[in-house]
Amino acid sequence: MKKIVILTGSPHHPGTSESLADSFEKGAREAGNELYRFDAGRRTSEFSLLQLQETPGTEEALEPDDIITKEVMPKLIEADVVVLVSSLYYYGINAALKAVIDRFYAYNHDLHGNNGYKDSSHGNHQAITLISGYGQESAFRSLKAYFDQLLNYMRWDRISDVLASDALNGAKLKKHQEEAYQLGKSIH
């Protein structure tokens, strides 16, 4: 059994990226995993953006006392697998998901893979990306590059990803949902 955290960014309900997350979640639950899901796009009133306080020569993160601090980050630190779910928004990531990722800043030490603690269960994350949208695959290049750079920086091992670049086509979306479901079932 793995501890899985699913972070979604879209405010659309129901939406195409949400349907990928739903399918993945169903498969992962059937495989017996422990799941926590945070739908940031529909919960933006519950958290703050990253704020930094500058002191001479350094920046310090100001830790808001909100749902990200109290609930999301503790789950994320303990996770084995992190699933990042976004639809394509102007060639990039959903703003709400980006706001949550920006909050990783204060937790970099705990979230980075291979963080130097041999006996630590923290920081040995694996990652999956689920992306939806409509257009040529080339339109997704910058979003895919963002996730590649983020996972590399965090030192998280990519398990796989699902790219539903044709999400407005119902028949093709169903195939991507099945792909996400099977991916969820494979995690254990």
Side-chain angles (χ1 to χ4, degrees):
M1 176 182 84
K2 299 267 185 173
K3 291 181 180 178
I4 301 173
V5 169
I6 301 171
L7 300 175
T8 73
S10 179
H12 297 285
H13 176 71
T16 57
S17 62
E18 178 182 58
S19 74
L20 294 176
D22 292 346
S23 297
F24 176 88
E25 182 176 358
K26 181 179 181 198
R29 285 194 189 282
E30 288 177 10
N33 295 294
E34 179 182 322
L35 274 93
Y36 170 79
R37 179 170 168 172
F38 184 70
D39 294 307
R42 292 198 311 271
R43 299 180 72 179
T44 56
S45 65
E46 297 178 57
F47 63 93
S48 300
L49 298 176
L50 175 68
Q51 297 177 33
L52 300 175
Q53 174 180 318
E54 291 189 36
T55 55
T58 65
E59 291 180 337
E60 293 181 36
L62 298 175
E63 188 63 34
D65 190 23
D66 61 14
I67 192 165
I68 304 297
T69 302
K70 293 177 182 175
E71 189 175 300
V72 176
M73 286 303 166
K75 295 285 189 183
L76 192 60
I77 289 167
E78 295 297 325
D80 300 304
V81 178
V82 179
V83 183
L84 301 170
V85 185
S86 182
S87 46
L88 181 68
Y89 272 57
Y90 294 97
Y91 307 99
I93 189 172
N94 297 106
L97 180 58
K98 179 67 168 85
V100 173
I101 291 170
D102 285 350
R103 294 282 299 276
F104 290 5
Y105 183 83
Y107 301 88
N108 267 342
H109 184 74
D110 290 321
L111 293 175
H112 271 211
N114 305 317
N115 61 14
Y117 294 112
K118 287 184 178 181
D119 299 325
S120 175
S121 62
H122 303 307
N124 299 316
H125 296 77
Q126 295 179 305
I128 294 169
T129 58
L130 306 177
I131 303 169
S132 72
Y134 184 72
Q136 304 282 341
E137 285 202 26
S138 62
F140 293 80
R141 192 175 301 131
S142 57
L143 179 55
K144 289 169 58 176
Y146 170 78
F147 279 130
D148 288 345
Q149 289 177 319
L150 174 66
L151 299 183
N152 184 54
Y153 173 75
M154 297 306 294
R155 298 184 207 120
W156 294 351
D157 297 323
R158 181 188 302 268
I159 295 173
S160 189
D161 57 28
V162 173
L163 173 59
S165 61
D166 44 14
L168 294 181
N169 179 314
K172 290 182 179 179
L173 180 59
K174 284 193 181 298
K175 289 180 183 177
H176 295 302
Q177 289 168 329
E178 179 63 22
E179 185 181 355
Y181 170 74
Q182 291 299 330
L183 182 55
K185 279 193 72 122
S186 73
I187 307 299
H188 44 80

